[in-house]
């Protein structure tokens, strides 16, 4: 009997390795291969997310540099406008004007704002006498020497001890400063100097510096040639900058895991170094980016590098989970396929579809965009446009001649609501300080829709009329950012989905393996019963169908919603619980459902499912992390006025009042130790409020935290 059993077991083993079962072995190795593909993809995904974070942080820093420098340029141009008012300028007026700007508070990074005057050598003595009379008895032009003309600093506010040392300095005698001054004079445009050591610097705590120049001419009329500009040059409104002081304000809130070096020019060497935020030891950075910053006739080169701490942010747990879970599953699949070859084809098809969908998600990620310089317009209360800058013209497509008034500009760029926009512009002349107006969308001359974020500031009196200077930030491309964050949110949910699939498969696969083993043993032991055998085969078929349905459910979750559908809270909740309830059961989490409201709603169902799953998963994490003895999740629907509401409450103890107002902020996470992305709740709020025109809010109850989704009942308005 033992010999007979041994022979049968040997025959069984040889049959397993026979050519007729080659498909089973192919299926096994294919499953192992898919596991490794998913593992490699997960590693690549983690690296890609890290690269996106790196590139986004760099782009934001570069944008902030552009934005800050354009703000400073506008401030200097306002000084030129002050000189152009025609009133006699003196030191007191300059002091009052600059003091009113509150430079240290409103424009951090400025060392000061000054005016350097062109003095012909024939009027040198007269000029020095005048400066002595103004309270500078030791005044003289530095450095000494005979020249055809002098460019002496006569105003520089705030006039502290550091800036007093610069009064009388002739910047034109310095080749680096002179190059920028000539460029500004000959072009009539703003110019930046190269790297210099400021006259204001003391022996200790020296910093690299540079200067910004805006020319001021003796006539406000347009000057068309270099010769005319040179002849009519009266001086420069300028600002000295200490590079460290300026850049510390710009990069203060930027990622501490990324270093930045800023060089003057295109050469990357220590002699050209303007700023370095972190002195780091030699190491091989994970990512490096070199970005040229071209503005005002000068090129800076920004070099970004990741620090060793950046590598710790990369999520590697998901790839390990895929590898550790995938190999045991592969062996279970092998045993199942050996018993029923038809299951192999289903499993292979499922694996291929999962791989294609994951790769498709990877392809949908996009890089963040660059931003452009600010458009500027000066206009008066009677509707005249005094000036628009080149950036305004480049984006709108209309020149000053085509739109001499604000009304004509509104009529050309707005297809509707012209009267409302004109009324808004008229009301702006009641302001007494800078106001942020918000976003406005219009159409350029080429028909392209443009979105700008406006701010306006009083600009004094021009031709007896109140004047405003309005600036804008072009945020057209940034409107696509929500789509990128949406994909990141779904991408971050991939790990959770794979975990749920593995959990859903575990019990059916174990059952299939057990039943298959029993049937094999009965056949070996000659205890074959046809009816019993058929019954068990039907059971295995049902379990296989359950596996296939599980894959379909999770695959449909990642399809993008194209159109809104009419559905109910109950259908959404039951669909979500079908995916997550097995995991909740294994963790002894009780789910209590109460449906007081089940009115059909028009919505994007998969997006709302994503929100519900995210809230349920967060509740599960809190209950497990806080080791709640009797964990519960309450799911309730109700109606409040014209809103249909869904509440998800847990008994996990609630959210700290110190951070509850931050949890919907992008990239804010309380799951640092578990590598939380910080985009789940931010994206959930975006889906509910921007896509669904509803409201997502959170508050603490006696049990814990309660998240409430409210959607409008009137489907015609959704």
């Amino acid at each position: 009997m033992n010999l007979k059993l041994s022979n049968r077991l040997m025959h069984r083993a040889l049959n397993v390795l026979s050519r007729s079962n080659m498909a089973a072995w192919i299926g096994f190795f294919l499953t192992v291969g898919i596991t490794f593909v998913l593992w490699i993809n997960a590693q690549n995904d983690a690296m890609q997310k890290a690269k996106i974070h790196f590139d986004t942080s760099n782009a934001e820093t570069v944008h902030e540099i552009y934005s800050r420098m354009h703000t400073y340029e506008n401030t200097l141009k306002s000084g030129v406008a002050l000189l152009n008012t025609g009133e006699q300028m003196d030191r007191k007026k300059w002091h009052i004007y600059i003091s009113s700007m509150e430079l240290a508070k409103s424009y951090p990074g400025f060392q000061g704002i000054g005016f350097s005057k062109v003095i012909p050598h024939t009027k040198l003595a007269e000029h020095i006498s005048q400066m002595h009379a103004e309270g500078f008895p030791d005044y003289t032009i530095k450095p000494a020497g005979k020249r055809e003309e002098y460019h002496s600093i006569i105003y520089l506010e705030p006039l502290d001890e550091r800036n007093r040392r610069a009064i009388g300095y002739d910047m034109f005698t310095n080749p680096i400063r002179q190059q920028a001054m000539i460029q500004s004079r000959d072009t009539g445009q703003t110019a930046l100097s190269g790297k210099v050591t400021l006259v204001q610097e003391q022996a200790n705590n020296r910093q690299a510096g540079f200067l910004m120049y805006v020319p001021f001419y003796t006539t406000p009329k347009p000057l068309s040639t270099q010769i005319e500009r040179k002849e009519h040059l009266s001086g420069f409104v300028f600002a000295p900058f200490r590079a460290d002081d300026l850049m510390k304000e710009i990069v203060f809130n930027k990622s501490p895991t990324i270093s930045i070096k800023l060089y003057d020019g295109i050469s990357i060497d220590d002699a050209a170094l303007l700023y370095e935020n972190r002195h780091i030891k030699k190491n091989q950075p994970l990512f490096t980016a070199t970005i040229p910053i071209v503005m005002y006739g000068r090129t800076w080169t920004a070099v970004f590098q990741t620090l060793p701490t950046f590598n710790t942010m990369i999520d590697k747990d998901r790839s390990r989970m895929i590898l550790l879970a995938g190999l045991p599953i592969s062996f279970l699949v092998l045993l199942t396929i050996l018993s029923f070859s038809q299951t192999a084809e289903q499993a292979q098809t499922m694996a291929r579809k999962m791989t294609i969908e994951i790769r498709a998600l990877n392809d949908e990620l996009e890089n963040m965009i660059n931003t452009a310089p600010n458009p500027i317009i000066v206009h008066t209360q009677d509707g005249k446009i005094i000036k628009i800058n080149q950036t305004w013209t480049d984006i709108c497509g209309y020149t000053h001649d085509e739109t001499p008034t604000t009304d004509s500009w509104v009529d050309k760029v707005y297809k509707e609501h012209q009267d409302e926009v004109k009324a808004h512009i008229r009301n702006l002349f009641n302001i007494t300080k800078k106001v942020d107006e918000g976003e406005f969308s219009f159409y350029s001359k080429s028909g392209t829709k443009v979105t700008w974020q406006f701010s306006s500031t009083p600009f004094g009196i021009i031709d007896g009329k109140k004047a405003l200077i309005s600036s804008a930030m072009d945020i057209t491309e940034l409107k696509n950012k929500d789509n990128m964050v949406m994909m990141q949110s779904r991408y971050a949910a991939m790990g959770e989905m794979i975990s749920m699939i593995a959990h859903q498969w575990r019990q059916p696969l174990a059952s299939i393996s057990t039943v298959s083993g029993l049937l094999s043993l009965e056949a070996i032991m000659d205890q074959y019963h046809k009816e019993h055998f058929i019954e068990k085969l039907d059971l295995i078929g049902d379990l296989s169908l359950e596996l296939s349905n599980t894959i379909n459910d999770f695959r449909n979750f990642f399809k993008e919603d194209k159109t809104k559908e009419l559905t109910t809270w109950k259908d959404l909740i039951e669909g979500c619980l079908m995916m997550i309830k097995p995991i909740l059961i294994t963790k002894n989490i009780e789910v209590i459902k109460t449906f007081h409201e089940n009115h059909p709603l028009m919505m994007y169902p998969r997006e709302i499912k994503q929100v519900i799953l995210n809230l349920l998963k967060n509740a599960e994490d809190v209950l497990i992390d806080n080791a709640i003895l009797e964990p519960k999740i309450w799911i309730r629907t109700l109606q409040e006025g014209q809103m249909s509401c869904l509440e998800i409450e847990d008994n996990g103890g609630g959210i700290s009042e110190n951070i509850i107002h931050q949890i919907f902020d992008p990239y804010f996470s309380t799951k640092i130790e578990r590598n939380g992305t910080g985009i789940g709740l931010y994206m959930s709020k975006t889906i509910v409020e921007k896509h669904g025109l509803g409201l997502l809010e959170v508050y603490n109850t006696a049990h814990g935290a309660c998240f409430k989704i409210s959607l409008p009942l009137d489907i015609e308005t959704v």
Side-chain angles (χ1 to χ4, degrees):
M1 182 63 181
N2 291 338
L3 181 60
K4 183 177 181 181
L5 178 59
S6 176
N7 289 337
R8 288 185 175 178
L9 291 174
M10 180 64 69
H11 176 75
R12 184 69 172 177
L14 292 174
N15 186 52
V16 166
L17 298 174
S18 66
R19 179 174 296 180
S20 61
N21 286 314
M22 187 60 66
W25 286 105
I26 292 175
F28 167 72
F29 288 114
L30 178 62
T31 308
V32 172
I34 290 172
T35 298
F36 279 97
V37 168
L38 293 175
W39 174 60
I40 293 172
N41 279 348
Q43 289 186 320
N44 292 339
D45 296 342
M47 292 297 291
Q48 188 174 4
K49 286 175 64 178
K51 184 64 164 60
I52 290 174
H53 172 73
F54 177 71
D55 291 341
T56 301
S57 177
N58 298 344
E60 289 174 349
T61 300
V62 171
H63 167 261
E64 182 66 19
I65 292 174
Y66 274 122
S67 178
R68 189 67 63 92
M69 296 310 296
H70 282 294
T71 299
Y72 295 151
E73 178 197 21
N74 293 336
T75 305
L76 296 189
K77 285 184 176 180
S78 70
V80 172
L82 178 66
L83 296 173
N84 271 322
T85 58
E87 298 181 4
Q88 181 65 35
M89 181 56 59
D90 56 33
R91 189 174 309 281
K92 182 178 180 181
K93 291 180 180 179
W94 188 263
H95 169 74
I96 293 173
Y97 178 70
I98 302 302
S99 298
S100 68
M101 293 185 182
E102 299 183 328
L103 294 182
K105 178 180 179 181
S106 303
Y107 304 94
F110 265 136
Q111 179 64 30
I113 299 179
F115 175 65
S116 70
K117 184 177 182 180
V118 178
I119 306 164
H121 73 280
T122 57
K123 295 185 178 180
L124 178 60
E126 177 186 348
H127 168 74
I128 292 176
S129 297
Q130 182 180 353
M131 291 296 292
H132 289 173
E134 291 182 8
F136 292 86
D138 298 327
Y139 173 84
T140 185
I141 295 181
K142 302 164 286 188
K146 293 184 178 181
R147 300 182 283 278
E148 286 297 318
E149 63 181 23
Y150 302 84
H151 293 257
S152 176
I153 298 174
I154 63 172
Y155 301 151
L156 185 56
E157 294 290 341
L159 194 59
D160 53 21
E161 181 180 354
R162 185 187 296 271
N163 283 338
R164 276 184 176 273
R165 289 198 295 270
I167 298 296
Y169 177 62
D170 185 350
M171 295 183 286
F172 208 72
T173 60
N174 179 270
I176 297 177
R177 294 174 172 85
Q178 184 184 101
Q179 181 183 8
M181 294 167 77
I182 290 174
Q183 175 190 329
S184 179
R185 177 196 70 192
D186 292 348
T187 63
Q189 303 295 321
T190 305
L192 286 181
S193 77
K195 176 183 177 182
V196 298
T197 299
L198 299 177
V199 179
Q200 295 95 320
E201 290 293 346
Q202 299 175 347
N204 57 343
N205 191 27
R206 285 180 175 269
Q207 296 183 18
F210 62 92
L211 298 100
M212 176 181 284
Y213 296 94
V214 177
F216 170 60
Y217 301 101
T218 56
T219 173
K221 297 180 180 179
L223 303 173
S224 57
T225 67
Q226 291 185 5
I227 295 176
E228 289 178 340
R229 296 189 185 103
K230 183 175 181 180
E231 290 177 350
H232 288 87
L233 182 68
S234 178
F236 297 92
V237 176
F238 73 96
F241 295 89
R242 304 180 82 207
D244 282 5
D245 294 345
L246 173 67
M247 291 302 298
K248 283 178 182 177
E249 290 291 334
I250 293 176
V251 303
F252 179 74
N253 291 321
K254 297 300 182 289
S255 175
T257 62
I258 300 175
S259 72
I260 174 176
K261 290 184 178 181
L262 192 64
Y263 296 89
D264 176 40
I266 60 175
S267 176
I268 300 177
D269 56 53
D270 292 340
L273 183 64
L274 276 174
Y275 171 75
E276 180 180 10
N277 69 331
R278 292 179 179 86
H279 299 284
I280 58 175
K281 298 180 180 179
K282 290 185 178 180
N283 68 89
Q284 185 64 35
L286 183 62
F287 300 120
T288 299
T290 301
I291 302 177
I293 303 175
V294 182
M295 54 186 175
Y296 310 121
R298 197 78 194 165
T299 298
W300 289 350
T301 302
V303 179
F304 298 91
Q305 291 184 333
T306 58
L307 300 174
T309 51
F310 184 89
N311 299 353
T312 62
M313 299 170 54
I314 301 175
D315 182 9
K316 299 178 181 178
D317 292 339
R318 192 185 310 167
S319 60
R320 296 193 188 101
M321 181 192 70
I322 291 174
L323 188 62
L324 294 176
L327 292 178
I329 291 175
S330 299
F331 283 102
L332 291 175
V333 170
L334 172 63
L335 296 176
T336 304
I337 296 176
L338 287 173
S339 302
F340 304 96
S341 60
Q342 64 271 25
T343 307
E345 182 177 356
Q346 296 174 357
Q348 292 169 10
T349 301
M350 175 202 67
R352 284 194 296 270
K353 288 181 179 179
M354 287 177 61
T355 303
I356 291 172
E357 289 175 6
I358 293 174
R359 288 176 177 172
L361 287 175
N362 295 342
D363 294 339
E364 292 178 13
L365 291 177
E366 299 176 356
N367 292 326
M368 298 300 292
I369 58 170
N370 292 327
T371 57
N374 290 7
I376 303 295
I377 180 174
V378 179
H379 54 111
T380 55
Q381 194 170 11
D382 58 357
K384 290 183 180 179
I385 295 179
I386 305 302
K387 181 177 181 177
I388 55 177
N389 66 352
Q390 189 60 43
T391 302
W392 182 289
T393 301
D394 290 343
I395 299 177
C396 290
Y398 294 104
T399 64
H400 185 228
D401 292 338
E402 292 176 298
T403 55
T405 66
T406 53
D407 283 354
S408 63
W409 181 79
V410 171
D411 289 337
K412 288 180 182 295
V413 302
Y414 282 91
K415 295 183 178 180
E416 54 186 13
H417 306 303
Q418 290 98 331
D419 292 339
E420 290 88 339
V421 176
K422 292 175 183 177
H424 170 77
I425 294 175
R426 288 194 294 270
N427 290 334
L428 286 175
F429 288 92
N430 296 322
I431 65 175
T432 58
K433 59 182 180 179
K434 177 185 175 183
V435 295
D436 294 323
E437 304 169 51
E439 300 175 9
F440 290 82
S441 296
F442 55 88
Y443 291 88
S444 67
K445 188 174 183 179
S446 63
T448 302
K449 187 176 182 181
V450 178
T451 301
W452 284 358
Q453 183 168 308
F454 279 92
S455 63
S456 291
T457 304
F459 197 61
I461 303 297
I462 298 178
D463 295 334
K465 302 293 183 181
K466 288 184 180 180
L468 289 178
I469 181 169
S470 301
S471 62
M473 179 180 294
D474 187 357
I475 59 172
T476 306
E477 295 299 330
L478 295 181
K479 288 296 183 179
N480 295 326
K481 187 175 181 181
D482 282 346
N483 293 333
M484 174 64 74
V485 179
M486 169 75 78
M487 186 52 59
Q488 286 182 323
S489 175
R490 289 194 171 190
Y491 202 73
M494 180 66 72
E496 299 293 346
M497 295 298 102
I498 293 175
S499 175
M500 292 179 188
I501 291 173
H503 184 90
Q504 294 279 61
W505 271 35
R506 190 174 293 115
Q507 183 176 352
L509 285 176
S511 299
I512 290 173
S513 177
T514 301
V515 173
S516 175
L518 290 173
L519 292 179
S520 298
L521 186 60
E522 290 176 1
I524 292 172
M525 299 296 294
D526 286 336
Q527 296 179 357
Y528 174 80
H529 299 286
K530 182 177 180 180
E531 293 181 355
H532 177 262
F533 203 85
I534 292 175
E535 178 185 348
K536 295 302 182 183
L537 287 178
D538 290 340
L539 175 59
I540 291 175
D542 292 340
L543 293 172
S544 300
L545 181 60
E546 182 180 343
L547 294 177
S548 177
N549 290 336
T550 299
I551 290 301
N552 288 335
D553 291 338
F554 283 95
R555 179 188 60 201
N556 290 334
F557 174 78
F558 287 103
K559 288 184 178 178
E560 182 181 359
D561 285 335
K562 296 298 183 182
T563 58
K564 292 183 178 180
E565 298 177 12
L566 196 62
T567 186
T568 65
W569 285 124
K570 183 175 181 181
D571 291 340
L572 292 176
I573 293 167
E574 296 297 347
C576 292
L577 289 177
M578 183 174 62
M579 288 188 277
I580 198 173
K581 192 170 183 180
I583 294 180
L584 299 178
I585 291 175
T586 61
K587 297 181 180 180
N588 296 319
I589 298 176
E590 182 182 358
V591 178
I592 304 170
K593 298 177 293 183
T594 307
F595 296 104
H596 294 302
E597 159 65 20
N598 202 37
H599 192 284
L601 303 171
M602 186 66 76
M603 65 177 74
Y604 296 109
R606 279 184 288 275
E607 288 192 355
I608 299 299
K609 273 189 176 182
Q610 182 181 353
V611 175
I612 296 173
L613 279 172
N614 186 55
L615 298 180
L616 290 173
K617 191 65 179 66
N618 285 349
E620 173 205 333
D621 291 341
V622 168
L623 294 171
I624 297 305
D625 291 346
N626 294 342
I628 304 301
L629 294 179
E630 296 182 1
K632 292 182 176 63
I633 297 177
W634 291 272
I635 302 176
R636 297 182 292 268
T637 63
L638 59 151
Q639 180 176 338
E640 294 182 351
Q642 293 302 311
M643 304 295 282
S644 181
C645 306
L646 169 66
E647 292 182 341
I648 298 178
E649 180 184 359
D650 61 66
N651 63 338
I655 303 171
S656 171
E657 295 296 334
N658 295 330
I659 64 170
I660 194 169
H661 64 285
Q662 297 176 270
I663 63 171
F664 292 117
D665 292 347
Y667 304 108
F668 177 81
S669 175
T670 60
K671 305 177 182 179
I672 302 301
E673 69 280 0
R674 289 185 284 112
N675 296 320
T677 64
I679 61 175
L681 288 176
Y682 168 71
M683 202 61 249
S684 295
K685 193 172 184 66
T686 299
I687 290 171
V688 173
E689 298 186 356
K690 289 190 176 181
H691 297 191
L693 302 180
L695 179 66
L696 175 59
E697 53 189 330
V698 63
Y699 53 89
N700 287 322
T701 67
H703 301 109
C706 181
F707 286 83
K708 183 178 181 181
I709 304 172
S710 301
L711 295 178
L713 280 169
D714 185 6
I715 62 174
E716 296 298 324
T717 63
V718 178

